[in-house]
Amino acid sequence: YTAASFGYAQTNIPEEKFISILLNENESEDALTFISPLEIQTSQRLNTKFLDVKSKLLLRFSSSISYDIKGKIKKGEAASFQTTSLGDDYSKSVLNVPSLNYSVAFYFKNHKAITPLAYFTRNWKKQSGKFFDFLISDEKLFNSYSIEQLDEFVERTAVLLKYSENDLKLLREQKILYAFCSNQDEITNITGSVSKGRYLSELDAIVTTYSCHFHEVAHLLLNFKIKDN
């Protein structure tokens, strides 16, 4: 299906209602009911939080829309939604502000919001290590040595940061997500920015073109130690 709605407050399409709530930040907590429960569970699995923020995942969705754009839409700038089926229960809804040449896309499964990471890696190969769940774009570029090196790095850093046994147990059970991309275009699709690698704190995930991106993993491990960022 394809649908367009003008005036963000007048829509009954679930995908567009989600974006509408994000635009009205006073009601943003209502948006949690529009997010995939699996995504919320993924975001909460390591118990890391943003200080004074109820849901770091919801904050990430909300901040996908420029604060300046939100303000202009509230003041009457014309905006539209374009919602399209992507097949296999997936859909995409794009917020457009034509006069400002602005657009931002959101992805959904069964009409529930999912992250770009979940959508763009949905068909990637999966492997696991002691502390990592790997999502791999091209298996030919990845090898088991990388898994060993990353697991050893976590163990060394855990000693340095004085992790408790419970900390290590949680990391072994819930694991760090590590999306190994083939190129920077894949990183841009997932993160929305151009880079060779990023730590996505809202998902406790590493998205990178490096098979062993120790620098970004170190950021995650430090945040895991702190818990409240």
Side-chain angles (χ1 to χ4, degrees):
Y1 59 87
T2 299
S5 300
F6 292 86
Y8 70 85
Q10 295 82 36
T11 178
N12 290 314
I13 297 172
E15 292 88 338
E16 298 173 6
K17 288 183 70 175
F18 172 69
I19 302 172
S20 298
I21 293 171
L22 295 182
L23 286 167
N24 186 350
E25 293 183 297
N26 292 331
E27 301 178 279
S28 62
E29 289 187 5
D30 295 340
L32 282 171
T33 61
F34 289 83
I35 299 175
S36 162
L38 180 59
E39 290 281 63
I40 294 174
Q41 179 182 336
T42 297
S43 178
Q44 296 174 343
R45 75 191 187 287
L46 295 184
N47 295 331
T48 57
K49 301 175 182 178
F50 294 165
L51 192 62
D52 298 325
V53 172
K54 181 176 180 179
S55 169
K56 61 181 182 176
L57 182 59
L58 178 54
L59 178 63
R60 177 65 182 87
F61 277 120
S62 182
S63 62
S64 297
I65 306 171
S66 160
Y67 182 79
D68 181 57
I69 293 294
K70 288 180 181 178
K72 290 182 178 179
I73 291 175
K74 287 177 182 178
K75 290 179 180 178
E77 198 75 44
S80 67
F81 300 114
Q82 190 74 25
T83 302
T84 307
S85 172
L86 300 174
D88 296 325
D89 298 321
Y90 290 96
S91 56
K92 178 174 74 170
S93 191
V94 179
L95 170 68
N96 294 297
V97 186
S99 63
L100 302 175
N101 194 30
Y102 178 88
S103 66
V104 59
F106 294 85
Y107 294 88
F108 301 81
K109 185 173 184 182
N110 294 317
H111 309 293
K112 295 287 187 178
I114 60 172
T115 60
L117 177 65
Y119 178 71
F120 285 104
T121 66
R122 66 196 185 284
N123 295 322
W124 289 15
K125 300 295 182 180
K126 295 179 174 61
Q127 289 190 43
S128 292
K130 184 184 294 185
F131 298 107
F132 292 86
D133 279 335
F134 295 93
L135 302 166
I136 304 165
S137 173
D138 186 347
E139 286 184 297
K140 298 189 296 294
L141 303 176
F142 194 76
N143 58 67
S144 58
Y145 179 71
S146 299
I147 298 177
E148 295 170 8
Q149 290 294 298
L150 286 165
D151 278 337
E152 289 175 6
F153 178 76
V154 171
E155 290 176 333
R156 293 195 304 270
T157 306
V159 172
L160 182 65
L161 295 177
K162 298 180 180 179
Y163 277 17
S164 68
E165 283 302 317
N166 284 338
D167 287 336
L168 287 170
K169 182 174 183 289
L170 182 60
L171 275 182
R172 283 193 297 268
E173 291 177 349
Q174 297 299 326
K175 303 192 186 301
I176 298 165
L177 285 177
Y178 196 102
F180 179 56
C181 302
S182 299
N183 52 61
Q184 289 189 16
D185 288 342
E186 291 179 344
I187 291 182
T188 302
N189 285 338
I190 293 170
T191 68
S193 61
V194 178
S195 69
K196 291 187 177 180
R198 273 190 62 189
Y199 159 44
L200 301 183
S201 54
E202 71 274 11
L203 294 169
D204 293 308
I206 308 299
V207 181
T208 181
T209 54
Y210 295 108
S211 56
C212 290
H213 205 152
F214 299 124
H215 178 78
E216 298 300 332
V217 174
H219 280 303
L220 186 153
L221 293 174
L222 181 58
N223 280 351
F224 179 69
K225 174 64 176 180
I226 297 169
K227 292 294 191 294
D228 289 318
N229 302 298

